[in-house]
Amino acid sequence: MVTLGCARNEVDSEELAGNLHERGWNLVDGEDSADVVVVNTCGFVESAKKDSVDTLLAAADTGAKVVAVGCMAERYGQELADQLPEADAVLGFDHYAQLAERLDDVIEDRPLASHQPRDRRTMLPITPVERPAAAAEVAVPGHGWVPSTRVTRRRLDDAPVASLKLASGCDRRCTFCAIPAFRGSFLSRKPDEVLGEAAWLATQGVRELFLVSENSTSYGKDLSDARALETLLPRLAGIDGIDRVRVSYLQPAETRPGLVRAIATTPGVAPYFDLSFQHASETVLRRMRRFGSTESFLGLIDQIRELAPEAGIRSNVIVGFPGETEEDFAELRDFLTRARLDAVGVFGYSDEDGTEAEGFDGKLDEDVVAERVAAMSALVDELTDQRAEDRIGSEVRVLIERDTEHEDGCAGRAEHQGPEVDGECLVTDPGTVAVGDVLHCRVIASEGVDLVVRPIGDEPERQRSGETP
């Protein structure tokens, strides 16, 4: 099983692995010994599509059968199969429940029709509260085909942090984004299902739950409970064995004061805000079909820091969007300078198949977009380095993810640092620690966005045994 793309894909792969294991398939290490290589592809942007194709070709070179699943397979289906004959099958989300049987077909060289894409937004009712009842008839990764009475997920690593899916799909219509068309309309997982999987993860050595979805701020709107996430967070944090709960992908326009308070002040919930600003100019935001402005975004940041001054705040921005003027670009620079974010991803605009923005006028030349990406990235590097320096002298709780035996030294993440993208804490003089321990440390230096920390106090906090509540 090879996984590309985001944390949501990682969850899908672990659920597929569990599903396959229950039906007689064995997961092996390394492609060379496999009968079938299942590649969970990403189809979000052009570079991710290229990575997916390269990975499929590399898998075919091993001599194993190759099956493409995931977002690129769902999005392009038969078109991908026609252009990539090296793949023995291209299967969409509708095949996930019967993936074991489809792999049997591949091994036996039985004819297997490739996935035929369709707009998955049309598969659930328009009214959110009507969706849970209809969801049983629709294949949604992480919903339905995984029995709610037991966990069929199988972990593909032993890291002390694991992603946990809150919901799938998105109801927003951002003009640059194709995700809703192939991931479908927004659908929350039921709280008891989320809690049950979280408790199971705790028994597998997980200390941090990373809650993922396309839009976590929408959680519960289809369950007739707009505050569902606010009430779910303390229940997740209370699971025995879980030390930290982290929420990802918050839409600024939907981030209500109650949710800000819940994330900023609930014990066991990381004061961490992954806010998808995308831009700061009102003109550009409206062309993106998004809401907000420099001042409203700064007001939201002020709310967060009033409740949790040391909170981590990260975001992504798109530069070079069609019609973006020098003044719009300057406003985004000003916003980021004033916002003092901990981490920022900078992306240059490029057309995505089937999106509204693909047909917009006012497209900027590629060299202009590249220049703006370079200039904004340089500014972001300077600003985030400064933000890291501001944390020198502060105290942090570090979840250890690499112990002293690792060639890169002992390291982990503090509460303000999200997995993989936000830097890490490099631990000096750690003593005897193991992956999964939590150390109380003081920040003594910074290296870019990374912090150098030294333990204070005595013994590390070790994990309690997780139990289902």
Side-chain angles (χ1 to χ4, degrees):
M1 180 76 70
V2 181
T3 308
L4 303 171
C6 66
R8 298 182 293 276
N9 256 17
E10 293 172 5
V11 176
D12 291 348
S13 286
E14 292 196 349
E15 291 175 340
L16 287 173
N19 184 292
L20 290 169
H21 181 73
E22 284 202 341
R23 287 161 175 77
W25 284 85
N26 295 318
L27 192 68
V28 297
D29 291 328
E31 298 171 2
D32 293 339
S33 59
D35 297 311
V36 182
V37 179
V38 178
V39 180
N40 193 349
T41 61
C42 179
F44 181 42
V45 292
E46 202 59 40
S47 60
K49 298 173 198 173
K50 183 180 183 304
D51 288 345
S52 294
V53 171
D54 289 346
T55 302
L56 288 164
L57 292 173
D61 287 343
T62 68
K65 301 284 188 179
V66 179
V67 175
V69 298
C71 291
M72 190 176 184
E74 175 64 39
R75 186 175 181 184
Y76 294 103
Q78 185 66 55
E79 180 184 349
L80 177 62
D82 292 342
Q83 296 182 12
L84 197 72
E86 291 84 354
D88 294 277
V90 176
L91 306 177
F93 301 151
D94 293 337
H95 294 93
Y96 279 17
Q98 293 82 36
L99 186 60
E101 290 83 351
R102 299 294 77 79
L103 297 193
D104 289 338
D105 292 336
V106 169
I107 287 292
E108 298 298 329
D109 292 319
R110 290 192 284 264
L112 187 59
S114 296
H115 170 64
Q116 297 294 333
R118 51 181 168 167
D119 189 336
R120 299 191 76 85
R121 291 172 294 187
T122 65
M123 299 172 66
L124 288 170
I126 294 176
T127 305
V129 293
E130 296 178 358
R131 292 174 190 166
E137 306 301 321
V138 178
V140 183
H143 302 250
W145 60 270
V146 177
S148 58
T149 55
R150 69 186 193 283
V151 176
T152 58
R153 179 173 175 176
R154 178 171 178 171
R155 296 208 70 201
L156 299 179
D157 61 37
D158 57 359
V161 57
S163 298
L164 175 59
K165 187 174 289 188
L166 276 176
S168 291
C170 184
D171 288 340
R172 301 187 71 88
R173 295 295 181 265
C174 301
T175 57
F176 56 82
C177 183
I179 289 176
F182 59 85
R183 276 288 184 177
S185 299
F186 184 86
L187 185 66
S188 301
R189 295 181 72 194
K190 295 178 180 178
D192 287 348
E193 185 178 326
V194 176
L195 288 162
E197 187 168 339
W200 175 81
L201 286 169
T203 69
Q204 306 301 301
V206 170
R207 296 204 70 173
E208 178 178 316
L209 300 173
F210 187 44
L211 306 183
V212 299
S213 71
E214 278 75 22
N215 178 6
S216 298
T217 37
S218 282
Y219 182 75
K221 74 175 187 179
D222 49 336
L223 304 176
S224 301
D225 184 2
R227 298 185 60 190
L229 184 54
E230 298 171 35
T231 56
L232 179 63
L233 287 174
R235 297 180 68 188
L236 287 168
I239 292 174
D240 196 23
I242 297 300
D243 181 80
R244 180 187 296 168
V245 178
R246 185 184 304 275
V247 186
S248 71
Y249 214 80
L250 305 170
Q251 287 289 346
E254 298 178 31
T255 305
R256 301 171 302 279
L259 181 58
V260 171
R261 182 173 295 278
I263 295 174
T265 65
T266 301
V269 176
Y272 174 84
F273 293 81
D274 176 14
L275 293 162
S276 175
F277 290 124
Q278 303 297 359
H279 213 282
S281 162
E282 289 189 69
T283 303
V284 175
L285 286 166
R286 297 308 175 269
R287 284 176 67 83
M288 291 178 169
R289 198 168 290 152
R290 296 178 68 84
F291 301 93
S293 64
T294 294
E295 296 307 319
S296 67
F297 291 162
L298 290 173
L300 176 57
I301 291 170
D302 286 344
Q303 287 180 40
I304 292 168
R305 289 184 172 145
E306 183 176 352
L307 292 167
E310 299 300 318
I313 307 176
R314 81 165 329 272
S315 191
N316 297 310
V317 297
I318 298 173
V319 299
F321 192 77
E324 182 191 62
T325 64
E326 289 285 357
E327 291 76 15
D328 296 326
F329 184 69
E331 182 169 359
L332 179 57
R333 289 176 59 96
D334 176 66
F335 164 68
L336 292 176
T337 301
R338 297 166 65 187
R340 297 170 53 245
L341 304 179
D342 291 275
V344 182
V346 179
F347 298 89
Y349 172 80
S350 61
D351 286 335
E352 274 297 304
D353 297 339
T355 61
E356 187 177 348
E358 187 181 21
F360 280 2
D361 56 11
K363 299 282 178 65
L364 278 63
D365 291 340
E366 289 186 7
D367 57 345
V368 174
V369 176
E371 288 173 4
R372 293 187 180 181
V373 169
M376 192 64 73
S377 297
L379 174 65
V380 162
D381 287 345
E382 179 182 352
L383 294 172
T384 53
D385 288 358
Q386 290 173 0
R387 180 65 175 157
E389 289 177 7
D390 291 342
R391 294 187 182 275
I392 295 175
S394 64
E395 295 182 9
V396 292
R397 294 179 72 252
V398 179
L399 173 62
I400 299 300
E401 296 177 278
R402 298 199 312 262
D403 62 20
T404 53
E405 301 300 318
H406 197 279
E407 60 183 0
D408 293 327
C410 183
R413 289 177 299 106
E415 290 183 325
H416 71 278
Q417 296 169 318
E420 299 183 1
V421 293
D422 294 350
E424 61 183 1
C425 290
L426 309 171
V427 186
T428 64
D429 304 321
T432 303
V433 296
V435 170
D437 288 348
V438 174
L439 291 178
H440 188 198
C441 299
R442 188 179 306 280
V443 181
I444 59 174
S446 64
E447 297 179 1
V449 295
D450 295 334
L451 302 179
V452 181
V453 303
R454 178 176 291 128
I456 54 180
D458 299 319
E459 295 296 318
E461 300 173 29
R462 305 198 186 280
Q463 187 180 38
R464 305 181 308 275
S465 297
E467 297 179 359
T468 302

